[in-house]
Amino acid sequence: MRKIFLASFVVMAFGLILMACAPAEPINGTSNSGSKMTDSELENKIKAKFDSDAQLKAADLNISADAEKNEATISGSVPTQSLRMKAVNLAKEASSGLILTDKIEVRPRELTRAEYTEENARAEREKARGSGEKLGDSLDDAWIHTKIVAKLIGNSDTPERKINVDVVNNVVTLRGAVDTAEQRTEAERVAKDTEGVTRVVNQLKVGAASKAAR
């Protein structure tokens, strides 16, 4: 009987020792071992990567992160494709295996009239010729063309690829075909609101009218 009692005592004592050594049960079943990164922490890590590059630090970029899923979305704009790729690569370095959604747009920085050079104008005239567009010989005409085309590309309400922009002596002529009257009106508004333009001739055709003219 004493042997049984002694054996039971040893078992109970061993059990108490194990319980004392076991880690405390976390409240509500959550564990404090290895705390997870929060959304804001992941966003800040990506931002820190961008801040390490002077151009990206100055760029208009927005970061949205879901740390639990290890996902992030980058939106905004940068002036070049190479800078866009740099932003994507740096963001991926912020967290191993990060799933990244890239919504960055490439929008070349607009040059002021004072910054615009003959070299810029030459390049713009070459592009215009390739698109069947007419440009005058002045720097003003090339600069105006550059600005209007950039605005049309950046405007979701205008199908820039369907619109030809001629600029001669600060007079803009819009040619081509658009799908709706609203697009025609918006393209004209964009041209009229561009600095340096003295007059806009809107020859854009709409919908069925544009098909009939072909």
Side-chain angles (χ1 to χ4, degrees):
M1 186 71 177
R2 289 179 61 189
K3 289 183 179 179
I4 296 173
F5 176 80
L6 184 59
S8 300
F9 179 81
V10 170
V11 170
M12 288 178 62
F14 185 71
L16 289 171
I17 292 171
L18 287 178
M19 288 178 64
C21 293
E25 188 69 24
I27 301 173
N28 296 330
T30 59
S31 174
N32 291 327
S33 58
S35 57
K36 293 182 179 179
M37 192 187 308
T38 66
D39 293 351
S40 61
E41 285 172 341
L42 180 53
E43 289 170 9
N44 287 335
K45 287 187 72 173
I46 296 172
K47 186 178 183 302
K49 289 289 183 180
F50 291 168
D51 287 349
S52 68
D53 182 275
Q55 287 181 295
L56 287 175
K57 185 175 182 179
D60 179 24
L61 292 176
N62 300 306
I63 305 164
S64 175
D66 186 332
E68 186 175 351
K69 295 180 180 179
N70 200 26
E71 295 178 353
T73 299
I74 312 298
S75 59
S77 62
V78 292
T80 64
Q81 179 66 18
S82 61
L83 197 59
R84 172 179 166 269
M85 293 311 301
K86 181 183 282 189
V88 169
N89 293 332
L90 283 176
K92 287 180 178 178
E93 291 178 7
S95 177
S96 177
L98 180 69
I99 301 170
L100 188 67
T101 300
D102 171 19
K103 293 185 177 180
I104 303 172
E105 296 181 16
V106 177
R107 293 182 188 166
R109 186 180 72 84
E110 276 192 16
L111 296 176
T112 66
R113 177 62 183 84
E115 295 173 314
Y116 204 78
T117 65
E118 186 56 50
E119 186 177 346
N120 297 132
R122 259 197 309 272
E124 192 65 20
R125 291 188 190 103
E126 284 292 326
K127 287 195 319 188
R129 253 196 306 273
S131 302
E133 297 170 321
K134 301 173 185 175
L135 277 189
D137 295 331
S138 71
L139 279 177
D140 278 351
D141 287 344
W143 180 62
I144 289 169
H145 184 271
T146 301
K147 288 173 66 68
I148 292 177
V149 169
K151 285 182 179 181
L152 292 176
I153 290 174
N155 189 332
S156 59
D157 294 327
T158 57
E160 189 278 332
R161 302 302 176 192
K162 298 181 179 181
I163 300 173
N164 285 334
V165 180
D166 301 332
V167 187
V168 180
N169 296 329
N170 296 57
V171 175
V172 177
T173 301
L174 302 176
R175 297 181 291 109
V178 293
D179 299 324
T180 65
E182 288 76 16
Q183 290 178 347
R184 183 178 188 274
T185 300
E186 178 64 9
E188 181 175 339
R189 183 198 67 76
V190 167
K192 282 182 175 178
D193 287 351
T194 300
E195 183 182 352
V197 174
T198 57
R199 187 162 62 93
V200 176
V201 179
N202 192 344
Q203 296 180 356
L204 290 170
K205 294 180 169 53
V206 179
S210 66
K211 293 177 183 177
R214 290 173 187 165

